[in-house]
Amino acid sequence: MAVNLRGRHLLSLRHHTPEEIKFLLDLSRDLKNKKRAGIRGNLLAGKNVALIFEKPSTRTRCAFTVACIDEGGHPEYLGKNDIQLGHKEDVADTARVLGRMFDGIEFRGFKQSVVEELAKYAGVPVWNGLTDEFHPTQVLADFLTIQEEFGCLKGIKLVYVGDGRNNMANSLMIGAAKMGMHFVIGSPKSLFPEASLVAECKKIAEECGSGAVIEITEDPKEAVNGAHVIYTDVWASMGEEDKLAERKAILQPYQVNKDLMAATGREDTIFMHCLPAVKGYEVTEDVFESRQSRVFDEAENRMHTIKAVMVSSIGNL
């Protein structure tokens, strides 16, 4: 059956089937090849996209902007001081105003409830550019990068080490469950993901028959044994800077360094990070700059996968 994502939101990967995720990755690959061939497109011609940012951004902002312009659309950046959202106007009213003027809305901010309320009232597709709970566009870029490296996702052992209950750990777990990956979180018990989300992901894997395996462990070296991919993120997410000293104390054993990379027992293990990285904390400089690092492939792939998300939901396909 043909996949049709026209008019669809992307709030997390919870609501996308494995076939729909595969479609987005295939479309991303085609759009990437098109861009590298120097072909400008018109799949977003006549489309206007609102980019709402409560949190600062490099990759998300640039990816949405360039992706939109590449296909003939107009992106409009709306910073937290540019509009009334959360000040004089509530989310529902902002959504209804922007939905009358724009064809799609991106939101990057703190609360997942805000992006969900935007989607409820806007009347146009809404895309989650990051919230405290989920980061779905990053996971699509990560999966495209892994697919480019290994030729597949099913059966790949993807290990996330560090803060196991942040938005990246949550989002990778959902995606891995749908795509049949062996996903492991190596984290201190105090930073384990929500038990309800782990149970949900195991149920997803069972119901869609993906064959995915979901594991949580406190032992970082046990976690990475046999890993194709070691993934990490900052030890204190945006808004948690006051917890950095505490996190440094408990997360030091989970630092991605040469010893942890070697503990995989594989020669082809790659290192991934959603960026920005605090080198010397969650990852050492030598691993970040090594031949195993794919962090800038991921960064570029944000643009191609975000382009696929916009094109598939509001584009002239």
Side-chain angles (χ1 to χ4, degrees):
M1 184 182 294
V3 172
N4 182 358
L5 294 175
R6 188 159 189 83
R8 288 279 296 278
H9 305 300
L10 179 65
L11 308 182
S12 73
L13 289 178
R14 273 178 164 144
H15 309 295
H16 282 63
T17 66
E19 292 74 24
E20 289 167 343
I21 294 170
K22 183 180 184 302
F23 172 82
L24 286 170
L25 294 174
D26 289 346
L27 179 57
S28 302
R29 178 201 60 211
D30 294 345
L31 291 169
K32 182 174 183 175
N33 290 338
K34 177 180 172 182
K35 183 173 177 68
R36 290 197 165 184
I39 301 170
R40 294 295 294 271
N42 61 0
L43 294 174
L44 295 173
K47 305 296 183 181
N48 295 289
V49 173
L51 307 177
I52 303 175
F53 282 80
E54 287 183 340
K55 289 184 177 182
S57 168
T58 298
R59 281 147 295 277
T60 302
R61 178 177 177 179
C62 295
F64 268 100
T65 300
V66 175
C68 190
I69 292 170
D70 273 354
E71 290 295 337
H74 171 76
E76 185 67 30
Y77 175 80
L78 303 171
K80 64 180 181 179
N81 296 319
D82 295 327
I83 57 175
Q84 300 294 343
L85 178 65
H87 301 293
K88 293 182 179 179
E89 191 165 59
D90 62 26
V91 176
D93 290 354
T94 298
R96 287 179 286 190
V97 170
L98 296 181
R100 299 283 185 110
M101 301 181 182
F102 291 92
D103 300 284
I105 300 169
E106 176 273 349
F107 173 80
R108 179 184 175 92
F110 293 93
K111 295 181 179 179
Q112 179 72 13
S113 60
V114 173
V115 76
E116 291 178 359
E117 193 170 0
L118 283 170
K120 180 178 179 180
Y121 289 101
V124 297
V126 173
W127 312 298
N128 181 357
L130 175 143
T131 63
D132 289 346
E133 197 170 342
F134 298 114
H135 198 359
T137 61
Q138 179 66 52
V139 174
L140 291 173
D142 297 335
F143 283 4
L144 180 61
T145 305
I146 294 169
Q147 200 166 263
E148 289 173 340
E149 185 73 24
F150 296 105
C152 63
L153 294 175
K154 190 174 179 64
I156 293 294
K157 184 172 182 180
L158 168 59
V159 180
Y160 177 96
V161 291
D163 179 0
R165 36 99 273 170
N166 77 0
N167 53 14
M168 281 313 308
N170 291 345
S171 299
L172 288 166
M173 182 161 46
I174 293 170
K178 298 205 171 198
M179 302 312 288
M181 303 172 79
H182 181 180
F183 182 70
V184 182
I185 289 179
S187 170
K189 197 163 189 178
S190 61
L191 294 175
F192 274 10
E194 290 289 333
S196 59
L197 181 60
V198 177
E200 179 186 342
C201 288
K202 289 181 177 180
K203 186 177 180 183
I204 286 170
E206 183 180 345
E207 289 181 345
C208 71
S210 71
V213 175
I214 309 293
E215 296 178 330
I216 317 294
T217 178
E218 290 185 85
D219 186 334
K221 292 199 172 178
E222 176 188 308
V224 303
N225 182 37
H228 296 84
V229 184
I230 295 180
Y231 199 116
T232 194
D233 193 4
V234 293
W235 286 346
S237 299
M238 279 181 276
E240 294 186 332
E241 289 78 9
D242 60 323
K243 296 182 172 141
L244 183 55
E246 170 195 328
R247 296 284 171 77
K248 283 170 66 178
I250 64 172
L251 286 171
Q252 190 61 42
Y254 301 88
Q255 181 187 70
V256 183
N257 50 38
K258 282 188 172 180
D259 286 344
L260 196 66
M261 293 296 292
T264 67
R266 300 183 64 100
E267 294 293 325
D268 60 349
T269 302
I270 61 172
F271 168 71
M272 298 178 69
H273 192 305
C274 55
L275 301 183
V278 185
K279 288 168 269 187
Y281 286 28
E282 72 269 14
V283 61
T284 56
E285 180 91 29
D286 54 1
V287 170
F288 187 88
E289 297 292 349
S290 72
R291 63 176 180 79
Q292 294 169 288
S293 178
R294 297 294 180 274
V295 297
F296 297 111
D297 295 322
E298 291 174 82
E300 178 192 342
N301 283 339
R302 290 297 305 286
M303 173 176 58
H304 306 303
T305 49
I306 281 170
K307 189 183 293 183
V309 167
M310 291 193 290
V311 163
S312 64
S313 56
I314 67 170
N316 306 313
L317 284 178

